[in-house]
Amino acid sequence: MRNAPRFFSRSLTGGQSRVYRTATAVFVAIFLALVWPVYPIFAGIRPMFLGIPLSLFYVVALVGLSFFTVLTLYLWEERGREESDEVEP
């Protein structure tokens, strides 16, 4: 059961729980940034940013933020898994 999801496990330490809560907060913030009333602020075709409409750039930036959040969480979990493998015989 080593690969079971531990996201809401009661056996997490304080530091682990904080990391998972932070990741959850980032995803909730991204979700809220993509729905009304926040998204209509950026929903226009003009102005253009890097040659694409601001609304598209806004969505791409939030998708990039979610990607880097998941990547960071994955690397953090892998580092913890490697450290726990070194301790166990």
Side-chain angles (χ1 to χ4, degrees), residues 30-88:
I30 290 170
F31 171 75
L32 292 176
L34 287 172
V35 296
W36 184 88
V38 178
Y39 181 74
I41 297 170
F42 302 97
I45 295 174
R46 300 270 182 215
M48 300 290 274
F49 190 79
L50 297 176
I52 59 175
L54 180 62
S55 60
L56 179 60
F57 177 78
Y58 180 71
V59 171
V60 169
L62 290 174
V63 168
L65 177 62
S66 66
F67 168 76
F68 284 111
T69 302
V70 170
L71 179 65
T72 303
L73 188 62
Y74 171 76
L75 294 174
W76 176 79
E77 285 181 340
E78 283 298 311
R79 187 185 67 193
R81 188 170 291 140
E82 288 173 1
E83 289 174 0
S84 68
D85 287 344
E86 291 174 3
V87 174
E88 295 176 10

Side-chain angles (χ1 to χ4, degrees), residues 4-14 16-17 20:
R6 297 175 18 155
F7 204 75
F8 296 108
S9 174
R10 295 190 189 274
S11 64
L12 296 175
T13 65
Q16 292 171 331
S17 179
Y20 287 123

